[in-house]
Amino acid sequence: MNEQEIQQSLIAYQLMQRHMEELKQQTVLVERKFLELEASKQAISDVSKLKEGHEILIPLGSESYTYANITGMKNILVDVGAGIFVNKDIESAVGLIDKKKEELEQAHKEIQNQINNIASQMNVIAENFEKEQQKKK
């Protein structure tokens, strides 16, 4: 391996490191979204058990809440993407959440596979670099 090949390998290694960090950040985001969906599913389950007229607290944001009364839990507004909300019955809303969770699980697996592939490539570069260092001694 000549100096130019060593330099190229080091640059490739650094690029792979950066890419792996980006993938790890994506993993964190996917895991957060998954937990968010779990919390939504649990909230739907909890609220659907309440009787009409039951008083609840509704978050308004920035640690502010208001009181509201349950008037019926037949339908829920659900985000179906691009900020578009549709009215769904509880069973359909939970089904949509489950579908989104499955998609996130698949995305998580794909990201993990990419991380594993990059780690393997980085190991090969590190081993080759080590062999070159041994030759120079």
Side-chain angles (χ1 to χ4, degrees), residues 1-16 125:
M1 214 179 218
N2 64 34
E3 277 303 310
Q4 184 178 7
E5 290 172 330
I6 291 171
Q7 285 294 345
Q8 288 174 342
S9 292
L10 289 174
I11 290 170
Y13 189 89
Q14 290 171 337
L15 290 172
M16 286 180 208
I125 291 172

Side-chain angles (χ1 to χ4, degrees), residues 34-91:
F34 187 88
L35 292 174
E36 202 177 288
L37 289 170
E38 275 292 308
S40 294
K41 187 175 174 181
Q42 184 62 48
I44 291 170
S45 174
D46 293 345
V47 172
S48 69
K49 294 174 187 170
L50 299 176
K51 295 183 178 174
E52 197 165 312
H54 188 93
E55 190 173 71
I56 61 171
L57 284 173
I58 303 290
L60 300 173
S62 189
E63 300 177 14
S64 300
Y65 298 84
T66 189
Y67 291 98
N69 291 313
I70 297 291
T71 58
M73 275 298 297
K74 294 179 184 164
N75 291 313
I76 297 172
L77 286 175
V78 180
D79 185 353
V80 292
I84 298 172
F85 290 83
V86 294
N87 213 5
K88 296 271 188 184
D89 62 77
I90 292 173
E91 189 176 316

Side-chain angles (χ1 to χ4, degrees), residues 128-137:
N128 289 340
F129 186 72
E130 233 178 84
K131 286 177 187 174
E132 286 300 316
Q133 292 299 323
Q134 292 296 327
K135 286 181 186 177
K136 291 182 179 180
K137 289 183 181 180

Side-chain angles (χ1 to χ4, degrees), residues 68-123:
N69 291 313
I70 297 291
T71 58
M73 275 298 297
K74 294 179 184 164
N75 291 313
I76 297 172
L77 286 175
V78 180
D79 185 353
V80 292
I84 298 172
F85 290 83
V86 294
N87 213 5
K88 296 271 188 184
D89 62 77
I90 292 173
E91 189 176 316
S92 296
V94 169
L96 188 60
I97 288 172
D98 287 338
K99 182 180 175 198
K100 287 179 180 181
K101 284 173 46 184
E102 288 173 12
E103 290 169 359
L104 286 174
E105 287 173 339
Q106 183 61 37
H108 190 270
K109 285 179 188 175
E110 289 172 13
I111 293 169
Q112 284 303 110
N113 286 339
Q114 288 179 31
I115 288 172
N116 292 339
N117 288 338
I118 291 171
S120 294
Q121 292 173 15
M122 289 172 71
N123 284 338

